[in-house]
Amino acid sequence: MRRYVVFIFTVLLSPYTASAHADKTAATSASVQKYTIPQRGTLYRATHGGNVSYLFGTIHVGQTAFYPLEPQVTRALSDAKKLVIEVDIRDTEAMRLAILRHGIYPDGQTVNRHLSADGSAQLRQALQRAGIPFESIARMKPWMITNLLLIQEMARHGFPTEQGIEKYFISIAQEQNKPIQELETADYQLSLFDSMTDAEQEEYLKENLAELANGEAMKKALALIAAWQNADARGLENSLLEMQKGATASDRFLQQVLLDQRNPNMANKVEALLKTDKMSFVAVGALHLLGDKGVPSLLQKRGYEVKRIY
């Protein structure tokens, strides 16, 4: 389950790009729909003097039923002078180069060279079930194959990355002619996965393959999405606490690298925004906003006023 959380809540990673037409339609509809819209995700407001930065917790997959988001969120984005997201997913060339650098082996190397015989056998079985020819992924690193399979499985269950919250926000910002700024880069995010050793990458792969095969991980991932969809703060917090109890290489990677290592840097960037921008809207994976080491808590410890709106 925790490997799904990595993908859904913490890393804006997809090796594919798609048309944002569906998201733009959803964004436009936000101004005309009159029915009561439920709260989704989690929303904070950080202030410094007269400057304000809204912090919204996203998921990196979605579906049209998510949109429009509730008025507090769309109003905060409308009032903001800029949109700030983890990575500017419009820059497909930067993503392509990052994948080549961190997710693909050099010519002449294949993933089998970096996996045990058991790992290679499990991978081939999983690829056969997914209908993916081995030749098409032969030079991909294990972490890259893992995320490819996760992307496919989430899409199969109705949650494609093309409908992710970031694309929805980007479409609104573009309609309102707002500048869009990124907190990180695609190269940085993918380099974190590439920092795993061969043994850690194999463990990451095999854990995911097992959970993809038995279906339990997807059930728990859908429960987490439901918690986000219903602004269930307790459910999200409890999920984070459960993750912190894990002892596998994947669990340590999630907590120590994807959260603990990145959150202080994100807090630094938000702090800079609070010092220079009258009003900004920051959208990052929801787990980055939770717990004592989340971005809101880090800002509070630095003396900034932070209020959880919901």
Side-chain angles (χ1 to χ4, degrees), residues 7 13-16 147-155 161:
F7 172 67
L13 170 64
S14 173
Y16 304 105
N147 287 311
L148 171 65
L149 291 170
L150 293 177
I151 288 168
Q152 178 173 294
E153 186 70 0
M154 292 303 301
T161 56

Side-chain angles (χ1 to χ4, degrees), residues 2-286:
R2 283 177 279 276
R3 274 64 69 188
Y4 275 87
V5 174
V6 168
F7 172 67
I8 299 168
F9 287 95
T10 65
V11 177
L12 220 171
L13 170 64
S14 173
Y16 304 105
T17 59
S19 169
H21 173 74
D23 303 303
K24 193 162 188 177
T25 301
T28 303
S29 69
S31 63
V32 299
Q33 302 228 21
K34 302 298 183 182
Y35 57 82
T36 301
I37 300 169
Q39 291 180 330
R40 305 185 196 278
T42 183
L43 181 66
Y44 292 79
R45 182 175 63 240
T47 58
H48 175 66
N51 294 345
V52 175
S53 184
Y54 287 96
L55 311 175
F56 182 75
T58 71
I59 55 176
H60 303 320
V61 296
Q63 55 184 208
T64 56
F66 285 177
Y67 307 111
L69 295 177
E70 68 100 19
Q72 280 178 294
V73 175
T74 52
R75 186 163 54 246
L77 177 56
S78 180
D79 292 342
K81 302 303 180 185
K82 69 169 60 170
L83 168 66
V84 183
I85 54 179
E86 288 182 33
V87 171
D88 191 341
I89 55 179
R90 299 171 301 171
D91 191 347
T92 56
E93 178 63 11
M95 178 62 76
R96 186 186 71 84
L97 293 174
I99 289 171
L100 289 174
R101 181 178 180 184
H102 300 293
I104 307 294
Y105 290 118
D107 285 338
Q109 288 190 36
T110 67
V111 67
N112 283 338
R113 176 174 169 181
H114 298 266
L115 293 175
S116 66
D118 180 58
S120 293
Q122 289 187 40
L123 173 58
R124 285 186 178 274
Q125 291 173 0
L127 293 171
Q128 186 175 20
R129 288 193 299 268
I132 299 175
F134 176 80
E135 293 71 22
S136 68
I137 57 85
R139 287 179 53 208
M140 290 185 185
K141 295 181 179 180
W143 74 260
M144 185 72 184
I145 298 169
T146 300
N147 287 311
L148 171 65
L149 291 170
L150 293 177
I151 288 168
Q152 178 173 294
E153 186 70 0
M154 292 303 301
R156 192 172 71 82
H157 281 81
F159 297 96
T161 56
E162 307 93 84
Q163 302 265 345
I165 310 302
E166 285 76 16
K167 285 196 172 185
Y168 171 77
F169 285 146
I170 286 172
S171 68
I172 294 177
Q174 289 176 323
E175 288 180 352
Q176 297 175 354
N177 295 314
K178 294 183 191 298
I180 299 172
Q181 178 179 323
E182 59 183 8
L183 291 175
E184 300 174 331
T185 65
D187 187 81
Y188 171 70
Q189 285 198 349
L190 272 60
S191 74
L192 298 177
F193 285 93
D194 201 21
S195 69
M196 285 189 284
T197 65
D198 277 2
E200 289 169 336
Q201 287 198 44
E202 176 160 355
E203 183 176 358
Y204 180 77
L205 173 69
K206 289 168 73 174
E207 289 168 352
N208 274 285
L209 296 184
E211 293 181 345
L212 283 165
N214 64 29
E216 287 302 311
M218 196 65 216
K219 292 180 183 177
K220 295 174 182 178
L222 293 175
L224 281 170
I225 292 175
W228 177 89
Q229 192 173 358
N230 293 284
D232 180 2
R234 179 174 294 182
L236 291 172
E237 292 280 2
N238 287 342
S239 296
L240 179 61
L241 291 174
E242 283 298 314
M243 291 171 225
Q244 292 169 339
K245 297 177 183 177
T248 67
S250 296
D251 297 325
R252 293 191 298 272
F253 177 69
L254 168 64
Q255 188 62 50
Q256 297 173 9
V257 179
L258 294 184
L259 293 176
D260 292 351
Q261 181 174 317
R262 294 167 66 205
N263 286 354
N265 293 328
M266 288 186 175
N268 290 342
K269 298 291 181 65
V270 176
E271 185 175 12
L273 288 169
L274 285 168
K275 292 179 178 179
T276 59
D277 290 66
K278 187 68 176 176
M279 184 172 291
S280 57
F281 185 94
V282 181
V284 297

